Amino acid sequence: MTASWTWEYGRYEPKTERLVEALCTLGNGRFATRGAAPEAPAGPVHYPATYAAGCYNRLTSHVAGQRVDNEDMVNLPNWTVLRYRCIAEDGLPGDWLTPDDPGMLHYKVVLDLRAGTLTRHMLFQDGQGRRLGVTHLRIVHMGDPFLAAQRTTFRAYGWSGLVEVESGLDGAVTNAGVDRYSGLDGHHLTEHRTGFAPHGLAWITCRTTSSRIDIALAARTVTRPGAPVVTSRTATGTVQTFTLPVAPRRSATLVKTAALYTSLDRPAGDLLARAMAHASRAPGFPALLTAQHSAWERLWEEGEISVSGEKGRILRLHLFHVLQTLSPHTAELDVGVPARGLHGEAYRGHVFWDELFVLPYITLHFPDVARALLMYRHRRLPAARTAARQAGQSGAMFPWQSGSSGQEESQALHLNPRSGRWLPDHSHLQHHVGSAIALNLCRYGRATGDTGFLHGPGAELLLEIAAFWAAAASYDPERKRYHIRGVLGPDEYHDAYPDAANPGIDDNAYTNVMAAWVIQQGLELLDELPPARRTELTGGLTLDRAALEHWDEVSRRLYVPFHRGVISQFEGYGDLAELDWKAYRARYRDVRRLDRILESEGDTVNRYQASKQADVIMLGYLFRPAELYGLFDRLGYRLDDATWRATVAYYLPRTSHGSTLSSLVHGWVLARQKEPDAWKHCEEALLGDVTDIQGGTTGEGIHLGAMAGTLDLAERGVTGLETGPAGLYVEPVPLGQIEPVSFTLCHRGHRGVRIRLLPGRLGITVPQSLEGPVNLVLPGENAVAAAAGDEHWFRLPSD
């Protein structure tokens, strides 16, 4: 791992191969292919897979005596399949060569971030002493979102002869990429058809079993030198066999160009005809490669963050994977933010609250994509309304896990791999996902000035979510406060009180404060709306003056529990037992999944003051101190620096960081407080996926929220950047480990506004355009208007 724009693995290690495959995934926002070796079939070591954004299917399984329905992002037919072997002088073929062959002498994988290419170099020596060099160069085209291609070059060293090559399409794939899901049915594809056409074309069509999504895959395979082809097919796949001559100074090349279509694509049409036409008419590999470079160059220009050294290289890798999952092509699709990208099957490809950590970066660089992701939620507003009605509430209750339809996709059972037991899963009680949606749409509106969205779909979303919270709050006449009961907070560990018959906890501080904020924002937006639109929305929600007064009262009187001078994570948290953290770390070393450890011992984390991830501390991540203290003041509570710092200090040693998002949040909050331990947490977030810090989870799919969150840390975190109608507010936070930092952003019609943070200095450059000036506001300073074409520098106060 040397160059700043490449990611290299110079040794083949079976135990880490799935990690390499995930981190070497190539995608274009529409579909992605894991970076698996094309020679290797799916198994314990390798997991080749291709996923299309939004392509889900539902299956029923029987687990632990229960019927379980799960909707999964579907593993699609494998277009990369390629096998080869040397032919002996007597015409007998040798063994098929794979990275697991004992005769492999050299192995190197190079991911080129700038160009969006994956290269795999291998050198084999067979039983007769013949050495064969093999190089694969793969792209999933960022310029043409329907195409992928792979060029394979064979070189003989010290011998001349023949190489037999099989190029295949494999439709006999299943969802089998996560071991703990092995008890669930993974056979999502049916009705396979296969065939061949002139000019080296092979094709396969199939359909998902219940969602009835049609898939068509066509591949054109050509060789140099040209060679006769022998074709064969099965019910679920095709094989084209070539015999290629090789010699020390005469290499052979095979190029496979694939086109993938699904019935989710618009406009509708004959999928197979479109796939075959696209594959057959695609340019040659050099032209595809040139276009791929150009497409990525444009993306890097719009999205690049410049941070020096190894930290900058890791951030660039994170950005690469964010853009492969959510590219400008995503703006044309009806998809959300899959928590594990398009890189694997963990979480079944579902959409959680991770967009809370992803959309801040996307909004500042690709606002059209951010708008499309918010529209994914808006299109599922009817499902959220239905869920609220079924729960006896009004407004919209968005699911904790979402997929194709917007109904709740959280599993009813989950497996504890440590104990082998299937346990009830109550994560669907995390209703705070609605607040995350509300926060993102408000931030999007402030950053872009897109009143068309904010007054249209955005207003519907915000007011429906506010209506849910206002209805969910129950009044307590003794305390003269409102309570929200029976929920789960971001912590996730605590899904019930000890020995309670029913799941859920009461008055989670994060949930209640965010609910109050959402209702407040809804009321303020109503005041901003044109009269006709306000009347339309209040009429649809039956909001009369009394209802709006009730909203205002709830937003000011929601209960927030405290204990021992700090904010309680939820009512009764301070009464729980203390855990002997030192003893558990000595016994298990890694206690990130403390819930699984305790359950395997016959205990439950519900009895202890122990959190999986940041919960109360999330409030300090989302809001600057002055904003947070203002929120508590509106609720009738006094929160100051001393109380907040004590709260942060209280939860730090009681958090196991079982989520990759947790260290990011703690690092951000501690950096704001100028704490010396801030970088330790930020660094853990930065290294989470590249070092597979949670021990095997990255191979199941990268953690998109954590990756995007580190980008946001390098931009908004260290600069203290907030965007709004008044301009860009900047309050730099000293975090010398990622300074200097430079990035561009979009702001209310301006594209390419550059912010540079150097030690003691901050600069802003506004590119030439027809837009008006950009206001920059620093704490205690008057706003400076930077006109198009201007550059301004400011000295920052020293600590």
Side-chain angles (χ1 to χ4, degrees), residues 495-733:
D495 63 357
Y497 287 100
D499 303 317
N502 297 313
I505 48 91
D506 300 334
D507 293 313
N508 173 253
Y510 173 82
T511 299
N512 286 16
V513 173
M514 290 302 298
W517 180 87
V518 170
I519 297 170
Q520 177 190 359
Q521 296 302 305
L523 291 169
E524 291 179 0
L525 181 59
L526 273 175
D527 289 339
E528 297 173 11
L529 293 175
R533 180 60 170 157
R534 182 168 59 247
T535 300
E536 178 185 15
L537 289 172
T538 54
L541 286 165
T542 61
L543 292 175
D544 56 16
R545 178 175 295 181
L548 293 176
E549 288 175 353
H550 174 69
W551 278 29
D552 185 67
E553 182 182 10
V554 172
S555 73
R556 296 177 185 275
R557 302 297 298 167
L558 270 166
Y559 175 64
V560 179
F562 285 76
H563 73 278
R564 298 178 214 166
V566 302
I567 304 168
S568 296
Q569 185 170 299
F570 53 83
E571 179 70 359
Y573 183 87
D575 298 330
L576 300 178
E578 292 284 8
L579 182 78
D580 188 343
W581 290 89
K582 184 177 180 180
Y584 271 89
R585 286 195 170 98
R587 195 183 318 167
Y588 293 100
R589 299 188 65 183
D590 186 350
V591 296
R592 295 174 194 277
R593 291 311 305 263
L594 182 65
D595 58 332
R596 292 175 176 174
I597 291 172
L598 290 170
E599 193 278 329
S600 71
E601 295 180 343
D603 202 349
T604 172
V605 76
N606 284 329
R607 298 200 308 113
Y608 300 99
Q609 294 186 44
S611 300
K612 175 183 177 183
Q613 59 186 313
D615 192 296
V616 175
I617 308 303
M618 278 292 302
L619 295 169
Y621 167 72
L622 297 178
F623 301 105
R624 296 195 309 272
E627 292 177 301
L628 184 58
Y629 303 165
L631 279 173
F632 273 74
D633 182 65
R634 192 173 191 275
L635 284 165
Y637 296 100
R638 184 174 183 273
L639 182 63
D640 54 20
D641 279 345
T643 304
W644 177 247
R645 286 176 177 271
T647 298
V648 173
Y650 186 86
Y651 289 102
L652 273 172
R654 293 173 172 83
T655 304
S656 71
H657 302 295
S659 164
T660 55
L661 299 171
S662 187
S663 294
L664 170 73
V665 172
H666 280 83
W668 187 299
V669 171
L670 291 174
R672 270 186 173 150
Q673 295 181 180
K674 300 179 174 61
E675 297 286 350
D677 285 344
W679 178 246
K680 178 183 75 173
H681 294 279
C682 294
E683 186 176 40
E684 182 168 308
L686 197 64
L687 296 174
D689 271 333
V690 299
T691 62
D692 200 9
I693 206 165
Q694 292 199 330
T697 63
T698 302
E700 302 168 347
I702 54 94
H703 298 82
L704 194 69
M707 283 190 168
T710 60
L711 302 174
D712 194 33
L713 172 69
E715 291 188 344
R716 292 193 313 119
V718 300
T719 63
L721 175 71
E722 297 291 342
T723 60
L728 302 176
Y729 179 87
V730 178
E731 188 175 0
V733 172

Side-chain angles (χ1 to χ4, degrees), residues 157-208:
Y157 295 93
W159 65 284
S160 299
L162 300 173
V163 175
E164 181 182 1
V165 186
E166 290 187 352
S167 174
L169 300 178
D170 181 14
V173 297
T174 64
N175 277 44
V178 180
D179 288 343
R180 62 186 175 279
Y181 300 164
S182 60
L184 304 174
D185 189 356
H187 296 81
H188 291 281
L189 301 178
T190 188
E191 299 181 34
H192 294 78
R193 294 172 54 233
T194 61
F196 301 96
H199 311 297
L201 277 180
W203 57 266
I204 180 172
T205 64
C206 54
R207 175 177 287 174
T208 56

Side-chain angles (χ1 to χ4, degrees), residues 25-32 112-117 138-149 287-300 302 319-332 342-343 366 369:
T25 295
L26 297 180
N28 56 27
R30 181 179 167 273
F31 79 96
D112 187 328
L113 306 179
R114 189 191 297 275
T117 61
R138 181 185 298 173
I139 61 174
V140 173
H141 213 285
M142 186 59 79
D144 186 331
F146 298 93
L147 284 182
L288 285 175
L289 202 56
T290 298
Q292 169 82 338
H293 291 182
S294 297
W296 270 103
E297 183 178 10
R298 176 175 59 85
L299 281 186
W300 286 120
E302 295 180 31
L319 177 51
F320 181 73
H321 287 302
V322 169
L323 293 178
Q324 292 191 122
T325 308
L326 305 170
S327 80
H329 299 300
T330 308
E332 303 171 9
L342 299 175
H343 297 63
F366 302 95
V369 178

Side-chain angles (χ1 to χ4, degrees), residues 251 380 440 722:
S251 63
R380 285 148 186 82
N440 274 330
E722 297 291 342

Side-chain angles (χ1 to χ4, degrees), residues 146 261-271 274:
F146 298 93
Y261 280 81
T262 79
S263 53
L264 298 174
D265 297 320
R266 295 173 292 182
D270 185 330
L271 297 185
R274 294 170 71 183

